[in-house]
Amino acid sequence: MAIGARSQSARSYLEKCIEEFNGADLDALMLHALKALLDTLPSDSPTGLNLQNCSLAILGKDCNFTVLDD
């Protein structure tokens, strides 16, 4: 996961939820990734996560590389 600046809060979220990842479906894993990114935003961020500042890419053993921009 590439998370850039303020990554410690995202890592903390992911470490807290690591037990939920094993056996989780793709939708649940994507939700965790977005929640981790959300934790990197300042609490007074006026925009939050939106289509202009967030993209999600998926890559896996049985999944082609896909970027979700919309």
Side-chain angles (χ1 to χ4, degrees):
M1 173 184 255
I3 46 183
R6 299 175 50 98
S7 63
Q8 183 57 49
S9 53
R11 279 195 302 257
S12 296
Y13 171 84
L14 294 171
E15 289 170 354
K16 180 179 75 171
C17 298
I18 197 166
E19 298 296 324
E20 299 174 33
F21 301 158
N22 193 19
D25 65 3
L26 182 58
D27 287 339
L29 293 173
M30 289 189 301
L31 185 59
H32 279 296
L34 292 172
K35 286 181 178 180
L37 285 174
L38 187 60
D39 277 357
T40 66
L41 296 176
S43 59
D44 61 349
S45 175
T47 60
L49 287 180
N50 58 50
L51 296 176
Q52 287 72 42
N53 66 11
C54 184
S55 290
L56 186 65
I58 303 166
L59 176 65
K61 180 179 174 184
D62 297 322
C63 181
N64 293 330
F65 179 75
T66 307
V67 177
L68 303 174
D69 291 347
D70 301 332

